[in-house]
Amino acid sequence: MTIEVTTAAMAHGGKAVARHEGQVLFVTGAYPHEVVQAEVTEAKKRHSFARALAIFEPSPHRRAAPCPHFGPCGGCQWQSAEPGAQAEWKREIVADQLRFVGKLGNVEVRPTISPGPEFGYRNRMDFALVGGRPALHREESQELVELSVCLLLVAPLFQLFVDLPIRPLADRVTLRAGVATGETAVLFDDEHGVIHEEVAGHTFRVTDRAFFQANTAGAEELVRLVTEVLAPGPNDRLLDGYAGGGLFAATVGAGCREVVAVESDPVAVADLKANADLVPVRAKFESSRPRLPRSWDLVVVDPPRAGLGREGVETVVAGHPRTVALVACDPASFARDAALFTNAGYRLEYAQPVDMFPQTFHIEIVGAFSR
Ligand SMILES: C[S@@+](CC[C@H](N)C(=O)[O-])C[C@H]1O[C@@H](n2cnc3c(N)ncnc32)[C@H](O)[C@@H]1O
């Protein structure tokens, strides 16, 4: 079914919201305040999904997308919108999720920080391979789109991508670079490789596919923001949950009396040992309580997309910290966790969106909680 609708706000997930015959409609390929012709792709009881076919009245923030693959390629959703508009939509989405999901309507959501260039920022990218050439999925599809370029890659990876050797039998490739060190790795399928990256004056070893922030300028900004939230002092014990290779333990924790770091991935745990002067707790954070000290003064937690959940928040607050920095990559789970912290007696002082992934709907958020 083809309809004409006027979009309102941008929704979590990167689609514009419209109303049609009293029902909420999420429109892929549309931006806020546009009049679009849309095809309904999925009709549900409470809301429906549609895809923009034609833009009758475009947003003033529309621009020509620089990448020839924009549209079919599912890697970027917002490339045809100006970066300032993207940043503001991200701020609004965080505020909406806090209001509607977390029931926290009065929280200060600061203007989005854009830490680096809007293109050429990804120090890591995972691609499928089609006939040896890199490909990404079409949005919400299993179909692969073969790519001749990817404008999100940092310069050394852009060149590696273009010159990628053909491995006819390989299914996927991970490209990794240390922006400051100039080191690169091309990892086909399950191949191994190590690079080093510098953030906040500290050198990090990053092994294989272990997690490391994919935007180096963004990582630098996260360290600055978490330091600002926690204001660590020499008498403080810091708990770093979901510690990865030690980005926060080795930087924010440097000024603390002690750092307790929890991480479940064995490869990241080995990096963490090498990168920060500590013995990590290798465990799932939510169930790590028996292996942790009785109390801690400060916490930084940076969980995967699903967030901390009830058990994760209980683990954080069990040590009675005075301040918690929650680093989140999903605004809905951030809002859910913020509500759990509020119920546990903490106040969300402010939320700071960071645009780690321009051209996409992905949002990084730093939340500052105190007792
Ligand atoms: C978003 S990353 C953050 C890493 C680190 N804070 C950084 O900025 O580089 C999340 C990390 O949590 C780890 N992880 C995932 N689930 C976990 C769990 N249940 N308990 C502990 N660590 C977990 C992952 O291996 C990953 O290293």
Side-chain angles (χ1 to χ4, degrees):
M1 182 175 54
T2 302
I3 54 177
E4 185 179 314
V5 290
T6 302
T7 56
M10 187 59 90
H12 169 42
K15 300 168 179 22
V17 188
R19 284 203 160 266
H20 180 67
E21 294 178 351
Q23 217 198 21
V24 173
L25 190 71
F26 295 100
V27 189
T28 301
Y31 297 131
H33 310 298
E34 296 192 311
V35 179
V36 303
Q37 184 191 42
E39 178 191 22
V40 177
T41 50
E42 192 182 351
K44 293 192 169 186
K45 237 184 187 165
R46 295 178 55 182
H47 56 258
S48 297
F49 295 92
R51 176 171 294 280
L53 298 176
I55 313 294
F56 294 141
E57 288 180 30
S59 160
H61 303 297
R62 266 197 187 264
R63 66 172 179 185
C67 179
H69 301 294
F70 179 68
C73 173
C76 296
Q77 303 80 34
W78 291 357
Q79 229 189 72
S80 56
E82 289 164 353
Q86 297 183 29
E88 177 54 17
W89 296 333
K90 291 184 185 192
R91 194 193 69 77
E92 289 169 6
I93 288 168
V94 174
D96 284 349
Q97 292 295 308
L98 283 170
R99 190 176 315 124
F100 298 123
V101 178
K103 310 292 176 220
L104 296 167
N106 290 326
V107 173
E108 178 192 359
V109 181
R110 297 187 169 174
T112 303
I113 292 175
S114 300
E118 62 155 328
F119 288 99
Y121 62 81
R122 279 203 75 115
N123 63 29
R124 177 211 174 132
M125 195 98 171
D126 299 327
F127 296 97
L129 292 168
V130 176
R133 286 303 306 164
L136 288 176
H137 284 102
R138 191 180 275 276
E139 201 174 336
E140 293 166 0
S141 161
Q142 289 307 306
E143 189 191 332
L144 286 167
V145 179
E146 206 181 313
L147 305 172
S148 59
V149 288
C150 176
L151 303 188
L152 300 189
L153 296 173
V154 293
L157 292 188
F158 186 88
Q159 206 45 52
L160 273 180
F161 177 101
V162 171
D163 299 335
L164 197 68
I166 300 284
R167 293 272 195 94
L169 298 181
D171 294 321
R172 59 199 161 87
V173 66
T174 298
L175 305 182
R176 257 196 144 145
V179 173
T181 60
E183 295 174 10
T184 57
V186 180
L187 309 174
F188 288 101
D189 292 338
D190 294 322
E191 285 176 352
H192 300 283
V194 174
I195 57 145
H196 296 82
E197 178 62 297
E198 278 171 29
V199 178
H202 194 95
T203 302
F204 292 88
R205 184 183 90 184
V206 186
T207 301
D208 298 347
R209 286 158 200 79
F211 181 91
F212 196 77
Q213 299 291 343
N215 180 332
T216 303
E220 192 94 28
E221 187 60 29
L222 291 182
V223 169
R224 190 189 72 74
L225 288 166
V226 170
T227 306
E228 195 173 274
V229 170
L230 299 182
N235 294 324
D236 288 327
R237 177 188 274 153
L238 169 71
L239 174 66
D240 180 359
Y242 309 86
L247 178 69
F248 300 122
T251 55
V252 182
C256 293
R257 170 172 61 93
E258 187 188 352
V259 181
V260 180
V262 184
E263 165 63 43
S264 61
D265 173 13
V267 180
V269 165
D271 282 348
L272 184 50
K273 272 187 198 155
N275 293 335
D277 187 18
L278 54 81
V279 180
V281 176
R282 183 179 153 189
K284 284 198 181 302
F285 181 75
E286 312 81 82
S287 50
S288 61
R289 183 78 190 100
R291 295 176 59 189
L292 301 181
R294 280 168 58 86
S295 67
W296 38 85
D297 309 289
L298 306 170
V299 180
V300 54
V301 262
D302 184 5
R305 202 159 293 283
L308 291 169
R310 189 168 301 281
E311 287 177 311
V313 171
E314 277 169 8
T315 304
V316 169
V317 303
H320 305 288
R322 66 171 186 275
T323 313
V324 177
L326 170 58
V327 182
C329 58
D330 182 282
S333 56
F334 175 75
R336 279 193 291 274
D337 288 345
L340 290 167
F341 275 118
T342 305
N343 291 340
Y346 284 76
R347 189 183 130 79
L348 177 52
E349 306 289 350
Y350 62 88
Q352 174 64 72
V354 183
D355 199 0
M356 302 276 281
F357 302 101
Q359 324 309 335
T360 80
F361 62 77
H362 294 288
I363 312 173
E364 200 76 15
I365 307 148
V366 177
F369 296 86
S370 60
R371 239 182 325 122

